[in-house]
């Protein structure tokens, strides 16, 4: 048995699909500014936390560098030799 869709039910289905599509599109346009504001706020918080962590690390590094270090020997600058510039002869 072959079932044939009636024209009014087909038009009704298409109308429902279009209504849902345009309704979601309208709601997305209304909600978009709030979504963008939320995303930028969260990104700002992450950047702020990262900067605070970096700032604490640099402060800790700066404090450890200010302490005197007596165990580290100083590097001596030895003169190994002269630098001689030469040209190749063909």
């Amino acid at each position: 048995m072959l079932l044939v869709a009636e024209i009014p039910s087909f038009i009704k289905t298409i109308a429902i699909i279009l209504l849902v599509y345009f309704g979601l599109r309208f709601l997305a346009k209304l909600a978009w500014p709030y979504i963008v504001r939320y995303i930028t706020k969260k990104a700002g918080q992450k950047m702020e936390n990262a900067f605070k962590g970096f700032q604490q690390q640099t402060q800790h590094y700066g404090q450890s560098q200010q302490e005197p270090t007596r165990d580290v020997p100083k590097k001596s600058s030895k003169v190994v030799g002269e630098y001689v510039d030469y040209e190749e002869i063909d």
Side-chain angles (χ1 to χ4, degrees):
M1 183 167 155
L2 182 65
L3 297 175
V4 178
E6 297 177 16
I7 297 296
S9 65
F10 178 72
I11 293 174
K12 186 178 177 181
T13 304
I14 296 296
I16 290 172
I17 290 171
L18 288 175
L19 184 66
V20 168
Y21 172 74
F22 286 114
L24 288 176
R25 221 172 123 186
F26 177 74
L27 290 175
K29 282 185 180 182
L30 288 177
W32 185 251
Y34 299 108
I35 293 170
V36 170
R37 189 177 304 139
Y38 176 77
I39 290 172
T40 55
K41 185 173 132 182
K42 285 295 184 180
Q45 287 175 352
K46 285 184 180 180
M47 291 292 285
E48 186 176 335
N49 289 341
F51 180 71
K52 283 182 182 178
F54 177 74
Q55 193 175 21
Q56 288 174 354
Q57 285 178 354
T58 55
Q59 286 176 354
H60 177 68
Y61 180 72
Q63 289 173 354
S64 66
Q65 289 296 326
Q66 292 174 356
E67 297 173 0
T69 55
R70 298 178 190 193
D71 297 336
V72 179
K74 293 184 180 180
K75 292 183 179 179
S76 62
S77 60
K78 295 181 181 177
V79 178
V80 178
E82 287 186 34
Y83 176 74
V84 179
D85 191 18
Y86 67 95
E87 295 182 17
E88 289 186 22
I89 302 174
D90 290 328

